[in-house]
Amino acid sequence: MILEGQRAVVFGGASGAGLASAKLLAAAGADVVIAGRGAGKLDSKDFRFTAREVDGKDVGAVERLFAELGAFDHLVITAGQTNRGGSFVDTITDRTFRETFDGKFWVQITAAHAGARHVRRGGSITFFSGGASRRAMRGMTNIAAVNGALDAVVPTLALELAPTRVNAISPGTLRTSYWTGLADEEQEKIFGHLATVLPAGRVGTAEDIANAVLFLVTTSYVTGTVLAVDGGLPHASL
């Protein structure tokens, strides 16, 4: 119960790695608030949390949410809806880039900007970026750009917001709802291929990311860091 007596806000924690992180933080003793679209539909039977429905693209609503929440200790921002992209010349347009940044970069920055002033001394903010910023992959230009932008703000905010610790988690491919829409056989084809080329020998799970979140939230000597949780993606023979 290392987080007993502390309050954690998981922004975008209604599914996937965000929900797994919320559950693990609660298991560690934290008073957890899950905020985001779909939060109000969550079932609280599995663990104790408070749900707050909010659209991360609505700046005013996000600011009001944090004003109402008041002081807390940790902000974990897992929210981020991204277009999967495609060929830079034939598929991606300026609209694709704007939608990608609106859906992930600006949602996370908005949450951090509104929430930072309410983080108690010694607390933390954890962003979520992604492996495309560190490993070149065809068809991922827009996603690489938004993840790289999030990675870039972490060290500067760690200095500016100190003693609040600021870090990011950079996940690789995960078995989560991100892949909803692809047929099961297509998903398994992708996961099976990655399992053969990743040094870890498998794709990741939401629980892998939750473990990393707990590490960053509870380790007071880590700040300004982008923590890769990607199965060794930069070293894979893709």
Side-chain angles (χ1 to χ4, degrees), residues 114-134:
R117 71 192 65 194
H118 301 289
V119 178
R120 295 188 183 103
R121 185 176 181 85
S124 69
I125 298 174
T126 305
F127 291 95
F128 267 53
S129 60
S133 64
R134 300 183 319 283

Side-chain angles (χ1 to χ4, degrees), residues 125 127 152-167 222-225:
I125 298 174
F127 291 95
V153 303
V154 167
T156 300
L157 288 181
L159 285 175
E160 185 169 337
L161 300 181
T164 295
R165 295 178 293 106
V166 180
N167 296 291
V222 178
T223 191
T225 294

Side-chain angles (χ1 to χ4, degrees), residues 11 31 56 70 73 81 97 100 113 187 190 193 221 223 227 230:
F11 196 93
D31 174 14
D73 300 280
Q81 183 178 3
F97 269 94
T100 306
H113 189 266
Q187 293 184 39
I190 293 170
H193 169 68
Y221 202 50
T223 191
L227 178 62
D230 58 13

